Amino acid sequence: RVKRDPAVVEDYHGELVWDPYRWLEDPDSPETIQFVADQNKLADQVLGECTIRPRYSDKLRQLYNYPKFGCPFKEGQRYYYFFNSGLQPQSV
């Protein structure tokens, strides 16, 4: 079960809004780290049983594998742009 903290309530222009998961906003807290680890374990379990996952992965790889050019920008007297040849983790 996921911890809920009912004590966190914000007042937005007279409207009370409960935020029982505010504790998850601190990514470095031991509780958040444990929550993420548990969620990853559950997701790996469920996705590991998914028989069509490799097909989707292959299709997404095909769809994203094309050259991408960023908008040109000027620095000093020169113009630059970012480029990604397809499946690079980031543009260069």
Side-chain angles (χ1 to χ4, degrees):
R1 273 198 75 110
V2 178
K3 169 186 157 189
R4 291 183 180 196
D5 183 1
V8 181
V9 181
E10 297 284 341
D11 184 339
Y12 293 106
H13 309 287
E15 188 72 30
L16 296 180
V17 178
W18 278 260
D19 189 0
Y21 302 107
R22 175 75 57 91
W23 59 274
L24 284 170
E25 291 182 9
D26 180 5
D28 300 319
S29 78
E31 290 175 312
T32 302
I33 291 169
Q34 184 61 52
F35 173 80
V36 170
D38 292 345
Q39 291 297 302
N40 285 336
K41 182 179 174 184
L42 176 62
D44 288 343
Q45 239 179 350
V46 171
L47 293 173
E49 297 173 6
C50 182
T51 58
I52 61 172
R53 188 174 184 203
R55 282 196 342 225
Y56 278 114
S57 180
D58 292 342
K59 185 63 175 177
L60 286 173
R61 191 171 289 108
Q62 288 173 353
L63 291 171
Y64 281 101
N65 191 12
Y66 66 92
K68 300 162 194 75
F69 296 86
C71 292
F73 60 95
K74 187 175 182 180
E75 284 289 329
Q77 297 298 315
R78 298 180 184 251
Y79 286 90
Y80 300 92
Y81 64 91
F82 288 103
F83 174 72
N84 185 310
S85 63
L87 296 176
Q88 292 175 277
Q90 60 192 31
S91 297
V92 291

